[in-house]
Amino acid sequence: MRIGIVGGGAVGLLYAFQLSKIFTVTLYVKRDEALQALKSQGITILYNEHKQETRKVEVMKWESNVPLRDDLIIVATKQYGLSAILPVLKLCTKDQSILFLQNGMSHIDMLEQISNPQILLGIVEHGVKKHNDCTVMWTGKGRTKLAGYPVTKNDRHASFFMNKWMDSIGMDFPLEVCSDYYGMMIEKLLVNSIINPLTAIFDVRNGELLSNPYYQNCMKQLYNEMNFLVPVEKRKQMWEHICSICEKTAKNTSSMRRDLNEGRETEVDAILGYLMNLAEKQGKSVPLTEFIYKAVKGLQNDASC
C-alpha cells in the first residue's frame, strides 16, 4: 500500500517515520532545502538526549498541479495551508483515501468540495517538536484517533490501512478508531481552545496552567464559557480530560505558543474562530473567548512585524 504524506512539519515527519516501518511512504515537501536534507539524511526522531533513530523515506517535491497517485494521502499541513493544496486533493479518485490531521475544525466545511475519495479525519495527541528539516523530538507519546467522514464506508484502502497500523505498530504508535467524527473533533477542539491560546498568551509550558492557581482559574472560566458544546452529564468528565492532557504534556510547549515565539502564523482562526462561529449559530455569548482570540491575533501581529 502506498501512503503519501503532504507536509514536512513536525507531524508530517513523525508520521512518515513511523508509517514507513510498514508501508511504502512518500513525503511531499515544498522547499528545495528540505527536499535535499531529507534525501541525504533521512528522518531522525529524538526520543531523549541519549536515544535517537534514523530512517530513510522517499521524498518528493510538492507540485501544485500534479495529481497524487498514492492509495492513501495524509494531509499534515497547518490548517491555514489547506486552501493551497485543495485543487490537487479534488483530483483524487474513488480508488483513493485522504486522511486530514489538522488542529481545529474549520477544514470540515471544506470537505464537501472533495467528492470522490473516502475521507478520514484524525486528531494527533502526540507531543512533537521540529528541530530542523529532517529532525524532530518526540516529546510525548499519545494516540492518533481516526474517524470516517461522514461515516466510515466500506473502503478497502482505509480498512487495510487502519488494521495494518494497529496490528503492526499499534503498541508503539497507538491508533484508536472512533465511530463519531464530530464528538471526536469537538473533544480535541475544546482541548486546543483552552491549552493552546492560554499557554501562548502567558508564554508558559502546558503544565503551568495547572500548577499556577491563577492560570488554572482562567482555564476553568474559559471552559465554563465553552461547555455548551458538551452534554450536561459529560461536562465534568470533559474538564477532567482537559486537565489530564495538561498533566501528560506538562513539559511540552503548545504549537500556538511556539508559532508566536517563532514569528509564524497561528491556527487561532481554525480553533477559537471556529468555536466562536459555533457559538453564534447557537445564540451563545462568548466574550472571554472573543477576548482571548483578539489577544492571540494581537500577539501574532506583533510577532510578524
Side-chain angles (χ1 to χ4, degrees):
M1 185 177 186
R2 298 169 301 171
I3 307 293
I5 298 180
V6 183
V11 170
L13 292 176
L14 175 66
Y15 280 73
F17 180 95
Q18 296 291 346
L19 294 177
S20 67
K21 296 175 180 178
I22 51 172
F23 299 110
T24 300
V25 170
T26 301
L27 178 63
Y28 297 91
V29 297
K30 287 186 176 181
R31 294 186 301 108
D32 288 326
E33 298 89 341
L35 181 72
Q36 296 308 318
L38 287 161
K39 279 187 173 181
S40 62
Q41 301 175 46
I43 300 173
T44 297
I45 299 292
L46 306 175
Y47 298 98
N48 53 50
E49 294 179 359
H50 308 291
K51 183 182 177 182
Q52 65 181 55
E53 188 178 355
T54 300
R55 292 184 64 82
K56 283 293 186 77
V57 173
E58 179 72 21
V59 58
M60 292 182 63
K61 182 76 177 293
W62 169 261
E63 301 291 348
S64 58
N65 57 354
V66 177
L68 299 173
R69 301 301 182 191
D70 309 278
D71 299 311
L72 187 142
I73 296 130
I74 299 175
V75 183
T77 63
K78 292 280 192 177
Q79 182 83 236
Y80 50 75
L82 289 177
S83 58
I85 67 172
L86 180 60
V88 175
L89 299 180
K90 290 164 73 172
L91 298 175
C92 289
T93 70
K94 293 186 178 184
D95 293 326
Q96 295 173 291
S97 304
I98 305 175
L99 165 59
F100 290 88
L101 292 179
Q102 276 65 49
N103 281 327
M105 291 179 66
S106 60
H107 57 300
I108 291 177
D109 297 333
M110 181 194 75
L111 298 182
E112 61 186 29
Q113 300 180 52
I114 305 173
S115 56
N116 288 323
Q118 157 82 15
I119 300 295
L120 297 170
L121 296 173
I123 61 173
V124 177
E125 294 182 344
H126 297 281
V128 59
K129 178 182 179 181
K130 185 176 178 180
H131 280 204
N132 55 45
D133 285 332
C134 51
T135 308
V136 291
M137 170 72 81
W138 195 5
T139 58
K141 180 190 285 190
R143 295 172 297 177
T144 306
K145 291 184 177 181
L146 299 186
Y149 173 87
V151 294
T152 304
K153 293 179 280 189
N154 185 21
D155 181 270
R156 63 186 181 90
H157 287 144
S159 299
F160 178 80
F161 171 68
M162 292 185 287
N163 290 334
K164 180 75 170 175
W165 180 341
M166 286 189 286
D167 291 343
S168 301
I169 59 172
M171 291 294 292
D172 293 324
F173 199 58
L175 173 65
E176 179 180 335
V177 179
C178 304
S179 59
D180 173 18
Y181 84 88
Y182 190 77
M184 177 189 79
M185 298 293 286
I186 283 290
E187 178 182 287
K188 177 65 171 177
L189 179 68
L190 286 169
V191 171
N192 284 340
S193 294
I194 292 171
I195 296 176
N196 281 20
L198 290 181
T199 55
I201 291 171
F202 299 140
D203 195 20
V204 297
R205 295 182 185 272
N206 294 359
E208 292 179 64
L209 293 182
L210 292 179
S211 61
N212 185 312
Y214 296 98
Y215 294 163
Q216 185 176 157
N217 186 257
C218 290
M219 281 179 67
K220 186 66 174 178
Q221 289 185 49
L222 186 57
Y223 174 69
N224 286 342
E225 186 173 272
M226 296 175 174
N227 69 13
F228 66 91
L229 295 169
V230 184
V232 174
E233 67 275 11
K234 294 185 177 180
R235 288 177 182 174
K236 183 175 183 293
Q237 179 183 345
M238 178 61 75
W239 169 248
E240 291 171 350
H241 173 68
I242 294 168
C243 291
S244 73
I245 295 294
C246 255
E247 288 179 14
K248 291 175 183 176
T249 62
K251 295 182 180 180
N252 289 5
T253 291
S254 74
S255 58
M256 193 173 291
R257 181 194 181 206
R258 190 179 301 118
D259 286 341
L260 278 182
N261 287 342
E262 297 179 8
R264 294 192 298 262
E265 183 179 355
T266 72
E267 294 180 292
V268 70
D269 287 298
I271 298 173
L272 290 185
Y274 188 84
L275 195 147
M276 288 158 55
N277 287 336
L278 290 179
E280 183 178 2
K281 289 176 182 178
Q282 297 191 31
K284 302 291 185 180
S285 176
V286 287
L288 182 55
T289 304
E290 292 174 5
F291 171 81
I292 291 173
Y293 169 82
K294 291 174 183 176
V296 172
K297 294 288 280 188
L299 290 169
Q300 180 178 299
N301 185 69
D302 287 345
S304 63
C305 293

